[in-house]
Amino acid sequence: MFESHHLFDMTPRSPESDDLGKLRDDDYETKSGTETMEAPSSDDQYPNQRPKKKCYHRHTQRQIQEMEAFFKECPHPDDKQRKELSRELGLEPLQVKFWFQNKRTQMKAQHERHENQILKSENEKLRAENNRYKEALGNATCPNCGGPAALGEMSFDEQHLRIENARLREEIDRISGIAAKYVGKPLSSLSHLSPHLSSRSLDLGGFRNLGTQSSGYVGEMYGSGDLLRSVSGPSEADKPMIVELAVAAMEELMRMAQAGEPLWSTPSENSSDHQSLNEDEYLRTFPRGIGPKPLGLKSEASRESAVVIMNHINLVEILMDVNQWSSVFCGIVSRAMTLEVLSTGVAGNYNGALQVMSAEFQVPSPLVPTRENYFVRYCKQHPDGTWAVVDVSMENLRTTPISKCQRRLSGCLIQELPNGYSKVIWVEHVEVDDRSVHNLYKPLVNSGLAFGAKRWVATLDRQCERLASSMASNIPAGDLCVITSPEGRKSMLKLAERMVTSFCTGIGASSAHAWTTLSATDSDDVRVMTRKSMDDPGRPPGIVLSAATSFWIPVPPNRVFDFLRDENSRNEWDILSNGGLVQEMAHIANGRDPGNCVSLLRVNSANSNQSNMLVLQESCTDSTGSYVIYAPVDIVAMNMVLSGGDPDNVALLPSGFAILPDGLGLSGGGILEVGSGGSLLTVAFPTAKLSLGSVATVNSLIKCTVERIKSAVMCENA
């Protein structure tokens, strides 16, 4: 009888012995990932003999740690990798193979247990909801006689609709009664509603603080900063006042949006398209405003109109859905939250919808503080078919100190036009303390172009064109780079949208994160921040380090934008391309301007030892600013996206540029004169591998990129 003194018998086998070999493999698969079973000797092939005791080889702590680390990077090693690991760890290749098999089995079991918990929780929720419906059916009344209704008298859906209709009728009667009774009366007549209200008409200073109030969040949330979470919803005693405030604000918006001179005046002939508010006339026309301007705040007011390629119903839905609103205006709205929905509207639409919100507005640079507001948003359809959405501040309902910014009244009118177009008239009227704005950005902020109506309308117009492009189906196939597949276009645009949103929400001075300055110079300060990424599809888990800097360059914004988005000039500033040739592989146009597009670029490395790299890039521009945002992407993942696959789990760490006019090349009305003025350029880079050298590396990388851009753009402009 032959006994093997080695771990594995390498002698030729008969078919029967091959079956036994498979059994031995199965035995390995069932063992723990931290111990390995010794292969049975050839004695085991004779069932009449007493089998020898099986031996186990427990792996050392170092071996386990090394394989755990390798598993995180590559859970499916190939033969070459297994042999390399076995040589380094002093194990047999088959031991390594079975350890990884066992580890994958354990991970799969953990994942299944987690899914079971989720399903169990969902099952409990459905059971509770079913019980609520049963209770509602038990308390149902007959619509004809008012007596108790038998379950057989009406269907479940009919009973549910009747309950919802009754609730809506009560809500309409309540709001209509308050509006009809109090609109046009002085605030002193409302003293019976709340003893804490002052006698000043719609004065936010008369609102009492709710330091002892607490409220759960109703609605949806976009962003998760502690500052926005700290805001509580209104109390029941304040809700009638909120309705009164919203109704009065709607009336004021309609008059401000449609009025001409002397309420709105033009400062000069060269800026006839820009309208500025006459403050004295405003105070005479609207004595029931939200009160005198708080000390230290200055007034900013602007009005802008445009025709956009979107129907009025979809526009209203975007404005009233906090997630869609934040996504469309991601360059302006860094975070937003619906705190409470006081009314969902009537007749299946947003007519009469009323919701309390909190939001943070930004300029894409760490040098401009964000503006945080707590306000009520009211939507109404007027008899002529025009829709209006208005915001008005409720800052003194907050438990935090008085805000540095109040939305005195802001909103828009939406008029239906033929062929799916709409006319939008936008009004922005805020009071703000902007003394902490960096000197570099003061001219831009003072011009009204940073936060004014023109920026909101320009962004909306560009995003409407983008959405129309994503829905296009008859794309000509003349250009080889153009993606004509509807599924591929949709998936690639969705991936690019997530990349742009991630970049924009991480480039400003949001209170959700803090920037740290690495240098103390007055120009080209590099700022860094860290963010934790947990359970975020498409972003590496762990700590993400971001670095950004803003600087001025004496070149018009349109030339800077054209230089940065052009793949032919990319190797002049992109350090990661290593001087390789950049080629556009795919292209999706996003609007009238050729600069509005999504591109898939291939960087052909100049070094033959390095593999080529794919880069997803979106460039977008309008009259108020431009972006060039990009991220390296995996080739296999992009092939899946171009085939129409789900892009949500494609890993992205976006970098890019935000390009704004410096404010010095603007006319008195905030109109950008082509070819004049300079640019304010913000550069931002992330890295997912945080280490002691990460900060120094990203600091060096961003400074080198800035110097390359300055040198190349200046030469190009000359």
Side-chain angles (χ1 to χ4, degrees), residues 11 69 103 110 114 153 242 258 260 263 266 286 371 405 409 488 573 577 598 626 628 691 699:
T11 58
K103 186 65 176 178
Q110 292 175 4
H114 179 66
E153 294 182 14
I242 293 176
Q258 298 171 345
L263 182 63
T266 55
F286 303 101
R371 298 179 175 184
C405 177
L409 178 144
W573 57 264
S577 66
V598 176
S626 308
V628 177
S691 63
N699 182 32

Side-chain angles (χ1 to χ4, degrees), residues 13-25:
R13 300 179 178 179
S14 64
E16 292 79 10
S17 63
D18 288 341
D19 292 338
L20 291 174
K22 293 178 182 178
L23 271 177
R24 290 198 294 271
D25 287 354

Side-chain angles (χ1 to χ4, degrees), residues 376-577:
V376 58
R377 176 166 291 181
Y378 179 40
C379 178
K380 181 179 179 181
Q381 184 181 23
H382 294 273
D384 63 353
T386 299
W387 286 82
V389 179
V390 64
D391 297 343
V392 61
S393 275
M394 303 186 303
E395 300 297 335
N396 279 36
L397 283 178
R398 301 174 55 169
T399 57
T400 54
I402 296 177
S403 172
K404 292 185 177 182
C405 177
Q406 296 185 0
R407 293 177 76 76
R408 190 176 183 96
L409 178 144
S410 297
C412 67
L413 269 62
I414 304 172
Q415 300 173 359
E416 181 182 6
L417 296 179
N419 301 322
Y421 284 77
S422 301
K423 181 181 179 181
V424 176
I425 304 175
W426 201 289
V427 176
E428 279 291 310
H429 191 187
V430 301
E431 289 163 344
V432 61
D433 178 4
D434 62 0
R435 288 173 291 184
S436 56
V437 174
H438 194 280
N439 290 332
L440 201 61
Y441 280 83
K442 278 188 179 295
L444 177 67
V445 173
N446 292 337
S447 72
L449 205 59
F451 293 98
K454 187 175 183 66
R455 187 178 175 213
W456 285 94
V457 171
T459 301
L460 177 63
D461 186 25
R462 173 170 52 80
Q463 291 284 43
C464 287
E465 288 187 356
R466 190 185 195 280
L467 182 60
S469 173
S470 68
M471 299 174 64
S473 57
N474 53 346
I475 306 299
D479 191 343
L480 295 178
C481 292
V482 173
I483 301 175
T484 57
S485 164
E487 296 81 9
R489 290 172 60 86
K490 184 177 180 180
S491 294
M492 187 167 170
L493 285 172
K494 185 178 179 182
L495 180 61
E497 180 184 11
R498 176 160 62 86
M499 176 180 68
V500 171
T501 300
S502 177
F503 177 82
C504 290
T505 54
I507 194 176
S510 173
S511 56
H513 47 69
W515 292 95
T516 301
T517 304
L518 295 182
S519 58
T521 59
D522 293 332
S523 61
D524 297 356
D525 289 346
V526 177
R527 289 168 167 79
V528 296
M529 70 169 176
T530 57
R531 288 182 291 174
K532 183 177 292 186
S533 176
M534 298 295 292
D535 300 326
D536 187 1
R539 179 177 290 177
I543 304 298
V544 176
L545 173 69
S546 297
T549 186
S550 297
F551 59 95
W552 177 81
I553 186 170
V555 179
N558 59 328
R559 296 187 185 179
V560 177
F561 173 71
D562 289 338
F563 172 79
L564 291 174
R565 74 178 181 88
D566 187 359
E567 68 272 14
N568 295 321
S569 59
R570 188 181 190 93
N571 55 12
E572 297 183 37
W573 57 264
D574 188 0
I575 298 175
L576 298 180
S577 66

